[in-house]
Amino acid sequence: MSEKKVSVLEGFKAFLMRGNVIDLAVAVVIGAAFTNIVNAVVKGVINPLVGAFGTQDLDNYRSCLQGPCTTDPKTEEVDGIEILWGSVLSATLSFLITAAVVYFLMVLPMAKYLARRAAMQAAKEGVQETIEVSELEVLKEIRDELVAQRTGGTSEPEPGDAPGGAGGAAAGPREDR
């Protein structure tokens, strides 16, 4: 049974040491800190600005669904059924601001960077493929030339001819000199 515990612990350790888990943990911590910043901006700046169009802060906007909604100042209990639509609007604004910041500051630049990188990689692969194709063409031409030299003439090459079949100074000394 102790072997199973070691095996389970090793598996758990391997799970924790994977890069994905650590990256995810860092993302959650940074996301929580970022959420606090956005909530502070919404609560401290956006809500008062939206509330300036009305008579109060955005969180204080509410409607009474049933009965007269009166609040006891001592216990802060409400008689009636209140709908706190200002809080919902504030949360919605927080979400939209967070989503916009994440998109415009993180997702969009990363997408552009990855697109540029993919284009550069494709161009590099295209150049490499062109080089490979041109090398292949040269090798084919050399092969064809060698085959033509071997089978090109029906007669044997003259003794004074160069290995390529062409006579000339490169073939060696001539006897007529």
Side-chain angles (χ1 to χ4, degrees):
M1 181 141 179
S2 64
E3 290 178 15
K4 280 191 174 182
K5 287 184 181 178
V6 172
S7 171
V8 170
L9 290 177
E10 286 176 4
F12 183 67
K13 180 181 176 186
F15 170 74
L16 289 179
M17 298 313 278
R18 263 195 244 162
N20 300 4
V21 174
I22 294 171
D23 291 343
L24 183 61
V26 169
V28 167
V29 169
I30 289 176
F34 182 70
T35 301
N36 287 338
I37 292 171
V38 170
N39 287 339
V41 168
V42 168
K43 205 169 244 202
V45 177
I46 304 295
N47 285 356
L49 287 176
V50 172
F53 293 109
T55 58
Q56 53 194 340
D57 189 19
L58 191 59
D59 283 336
N60 293 330
Y61 283 101
R62 55 190 76 197
S63 297
C64 191
L65 186 62
Q66 181 180 20
C69 293
T70 57
T71 305
D72 186 8
K74 295 178 185 176
T75 61
E76 296 189 18
E77 288 184 22
V78 178
D79 292 336
I81 299 174
E82 275 189 319
I83 297 177
L84 306 173
W85 60 270
S87 298
V88 173
L89 184 58
S90 177
T92 304
L93 287 173
S94 293
F95 171 76
L96 290 175
I97 291 171
T98 303
V101 168
V102 166
Y103 180 75
F104 288 112
L105 294 183
M106 295 176 196
V107 173
L108 189 61
M110 184 58 75
K112 286 183 179 180
Y113 169 75
L114 291 175
R116 250 185 287 134
R117 189 171 173 196
M120 287 175 32
Q121 185 68 22
K124 190 183 290 185
E125 288 175 1
V127 168
Q128 184 66 24
E129 186 176 306
T130 302
I131 290 171
E132 289 173 3
V133 167
S134 62
E135 287 176 356
L136 183 62
E137 291 298 321
V138 169
L139 290 172
K140 284 181 180 178
E141 288 176 11
I142 292 170
R143 181 202 61 203
D144 293 343
E145 189 67 29
L146 289 172
V147 168
Q149 286 177 359
R150 284 188 197 156
T151 61
T154 56
S155 63
E156 293 292 319
E158 300 275 327
D161 285 349
R174 290 175 40 176
E175 293 178 23
D176 59 354
R177 288 188 194 172

